[in-house]
Amino acid sequence: STQSRSSAASDVYKRQGNDFGLQAQLNWELDLWGRLSNQTRAAFFDYRASEADLAAARLSLTANIARGWYNAIAALRQQQLAEETAASFAQSLAVIEERYRSGIGDALDVSLARANTASAQSRLEARRIEADNTVLALETLLGKYPQRQLAVSSELPSLPASPAAGAPLQLLERRPDLKAAQLRLLAATSRNVATQRNLLPSLSLTGSDGVTTTEFKDLFDLDDLVWRIAAQLTAPIFQGGRLKAQREQAEAVKEQALWDYAATALQAFQEVESALRAEQYLAGQEQALATATRESNLAEELAGERYASGLTDIT
């Protein structure tokens, strides 16, 4: 009848667009043997090693800039010394030429004095080039365009006192390159343990849920969610030697990291010991040069007086 057909159509209309479905799949693995935790630990050590590398790069840049400042100051001082030397030879040449014009000098002295003056001027130009280049290099390190605009002081900064005896170990503990090598060794060790435990069986858990409802609001009713949890035990069989090869590779990487750490440590010890010993030798060298400078100045004054009095020749 017309009424029954109308009722059926109404039921179909009510059901249209009201069927909703929700499906979800979840997978996770139980860390029975600590394999996953060792992998996590290795990744953490890698991250810390990268931080140490960044610190080492910053320290290297800082050291190069400090060395650049010292080189620029030293080059400027050498230029000033070359200027004083050239002026001294020019002054001596004037005295020798005056004596020669007065008939009490020797032509050989004049030629020798002129040659010395020209050589001093040549060294001065070389010192100026060196001073310019050190400033250009320093400006480049500072990220500036190299155009010789950086003002450099002519005075060397004062140095702190030498480290106390027995300090190399404490100094080494602050070296980021050594810390990075140590962290990479720890990362390789943790990764090696993880690959060894790949040979042990793993337990995986999979979870799935499904729900179909004719009411949209029922999709978010947690009481209606049905969880089906299945435990799956997977054994590492029929791997064709892949896991064994991974274990051997991890062992080789760990051994390489160990030797890298040892080499870095030995290099660090060598640099620290060399710096501490050089500090003592440089102090003695500085004292000897100060004495030589003082005596040379005195000898220059006496020789000038004797030459002006005609008691000795220019040589």
Side-chain angles (χ1 to χ4, degrees), residues 2 45 57 136 164 169 188 313:
T2 303
F45 287 139
L136 293 175
L169 183 58
D313 57 18

Side-chain angles (χ1 to χ4, degrees), residues 255-275:
E255 185 175 356
Q256 179 183 357
L258 176 61
W259 286 109
D260 289 342
Y261 174 67
T264 304
L266 287 176
Q267 180 66 24
F269 273 112
Q270 184 264 326
E271 291 177 359
V272 171
E273 290 290 348
S274 176

Side-chain angles (χ1 to χ4, degrees), residues 99-141:
R99 286 172 58 86
Y100 178 74
R101 286 191 294 267
S102 300
I104 57 175
D106 190 345
L108 179 60
D109 290 346
V110 175
S111 297
L112 182 59
R114 288 175 179 175
N116 289 336
T117 302
S119 297
Q121 187 64 36
S122 175
R123 288 193 295 269
L124 173 58
E125 299 302 329
R127 292 299 187 184
R128 285 171 175 169
I129 294 175
E130 183 180 353
D132 283 350
N133 289 337
T134 55
V135 174
L136 293 175
L138 181 58
E139 288 175 334
T140 303
L141 281 175

Side-chain angles (χ1 to χ4, degrees), residues 268-306:
F269 273 112
Q270 184 264 326
E271 291 177 359
V272 171
E273 290 290 348
S274 176
L276 292 177
R277 293 177 183 272
E279 188 73 20
Q280 302 174 3
Y281 301 147
L282 290 173
Q285 183 182 6
E286 181 184 9
Q287 183 177 0
L289 287 174
T291 302
T293 301
R294 183 174 60 254
E295 296 299 328
S296 296
N297 287 332
L298 179 59
E300 188 269 338
E301 293 177 3
L302 294 175
E305 293 174 359
R306 296 185 65 183

